[in-house]
Amino acid sequence: NYTALFQLAKLQLYKKEPSVIVTDTHRLLSELKLLYEKSTDIILRYRAAYYLGLLYLQEESEQYNKAIGIEYLLLVAEAEIGSESASALFRLAKIQLREESNKSLIEPNKLIVALKRLNENPTEAERSLNYHCRSAYYLGLLYLQEQSVQYSKADGINYLWLAAKAEVGSESAFALFQLAKLRLKDDKNIESSFIDRNKLIVCLNTLYESPAENEQNLHHHAQAAYYLGLFYLQEGSALYSPLKAIQYLWEASGDSLSEQSNPFALFKLVQLYLYSEDNAIVTNINSDKLVALLNTLSNKAEEDELRMQALYLTALLHLKTDSKHYNIDIALSLLNPLADNGYTSAQASL
């Protein structure tokens, strides 16, 4: 029963707890290999190869073997058999983006050629699944890898715009956020001048105002608000409006710091409150709310870096002498453990 076999592979791959054993992995691999080697049905063969590739790429598993996993995914990607081929291609692109160019097991030029085919000449089925947009997103990121041979900022930005303008799927939103990062990174750099800031603002506003129908949309809403806030904080630009920026950053932070919120928006608000010399900015930031949200984040954050950043910024709020939260004892009780754990900013503050 091939359907059951593929379902077992999915359960093993997408289980919530990595330590939970869904099935006998060695037997699963053997059955999938047998199907790949013996089946005369090309779709079944490459579907088996696709799951073999993903299973071998599970880093927490005993069977982890990056080279074999990539080899299987390359076979599937080159077969051009539909959704599995496209999914294999996108997975290979993700791997390539994390690799150091001189250690990569993937030939980047071959990857780019395959992604371009999917972007420029998608079948009707591939277009209906938005693969042309997703391939544009990954092409954009690959061309923006500064250490790679294929680096081309112009091509990278052009492909990201193609993905962003599609306004469909997560990759479209991610492409827009990547363009916003590039435009904000160095506003005076001539290389970034061909990213139209006004066009970005329009696109971010469209995404920000789109209905929040699900968790994904809520996350995109928060991200769009965050980048809008940063653009409105750019001093010297025609957009500069710190009070409007603060509104967007509060929106991005959220009141409950859910998974859809952006903790970096909260950190930005804290920095503004601590270091801004503009009294209008400081008085428009509710310090009680900052302390409450930082406490929530330090208790809820799964990532150590976020948790420590929240604790550190809480300490700084308690060190602000003209604030009602000024309390040197509380600040030291937060800074000392952070410093002992090697958090350099806390060490410097002490």
Side-chain angles (χ1 to χ4, degrees), residues 14 26 30 43 59 80 125 167 177 222:
Y14 305 121
H26 294 293
S30 297
I43 300 296
E59 293 185 15
E80 295 185 15
E167 295 184 8
F177 302 147

Side-chain angles (χ1 to χ4, degrees), residues 136 140 152-165 179 194:
S152 169
K153 191 164 188 177
D155 285 338
I157 287 169
N158 285 336
Y159 276 113
L160 288 179
W161 270 125
L162 281 176
K165 285 189 288 189
L179 287 165
F194 53 83

